[in-house]
Amino acid sequence: DAGVTQSPTHLIKTRGQQVTLRCSPISGHKSVSWYQQVLGQGPQFIFQYYEKEERGRGNFPDRFSARQFPNYSSELNVNALLLGDSALYLCASTLSGSSYNEQFFGPGTRLTVL
Amino acid sequence: AQSVAQPEDQVNVAEGNPLTVKCTYSVSGNPYLFWYVQYPNRGLQFLLKYITGDNLVKGSYGFEAEFNKSQTSFHLKKPSALVSDSALYFCAVRDINSGYSTLTFGKGTMLLVSP
């Protein structure tokens, strides 16, 4: 079975631009979470979606937005990019919204903002 | 708010020796704890979790973790380290908010296993 997939793997943008990152969860998983991992730190929670509804949002500015589609895939959008947005963006899928389920992570998208 | 602390930035161990990667937690209520590993240019891989039950949890690749409620610790262990275990290890705690739960991670500990 395919795991969580993310695209693109790498991305280079300049300040002020907009970016869209994509994630496909494991088949049958209905919940997707997004995390930002800055170099040298642990992942930080950005969004969680379950059954196409936003369930939670971390402490990130409104420049960050996301959505989940009927097939449970998800997109993360970041507007007006700043240098500090350079990070590895991780998508994780979970079978359901249950807190007992472990999250399965994709390989991430490495975003570099110049 | 829930949090975890990984007090060591790096742990060095020789191949064949036992290894321990430390994690302490701070939670309100029952702690649900996880360990993940990250290899270079890869996402996080789940190793093991503690929800309830035995204090010694066995996970993938020969790793185990010991839950200690009195010391609020959840240290990752392996009896005999391999060079291929060299990676970045993250401890995480389930963070409950209204209507959903997510993971709060520590800053990570780099494990280096020398031949």
Side-chain angles (χ1 to χ4, degrees), chain A residues 1-62:
Chain A
D1 284 342
V4 178
T5 59
Q6 293 186 244
S7 63
T9 54
H10 294 86
L11 205 51
I12 299 175
K13 293 286 188 178
T14 57
R15 282 178 296 176
Q17 285 188 311
Q18 175 266 340
V19 67
T20 298
L21 312 181
R22 296 176 176 83
C23 170
S24 292
I26 292 172
S27 178
H29 284 197
K30 298 181 179 179
S31 179
V32 169
S33 297
W34 287 95
Y35 291 82
Q36 181 196 64
Q37 185 181 7
V38 174
L39 193 64
Q41 298 182 20
Q44 281 197 296
F45 170 70
I46 310 175
F47 285 108
Q48 185 180 91
Y49 278 77
Y50 176 62
E51 289 280 15
K52 302 177 287 296
E53 297 288 329
E54 181 182 306
R55 293 285 294 274
R57 182 189 184 111
N59 188 24
F60 280 81
D62 291 343

Side-chain angles (χ1 to χ4, degrees), chain B residues 86-105:
Chain B
S86 298
L88 188 56
Y89 290 80
F90 289 99
C91 181
V93 64
R94 183 193 71 161
D95 203 344
I96 288 290
N97 292 277
S98 114
Y100 71 100
S101 71
T102 184
L103 293 173
T104 295
F105 288 86

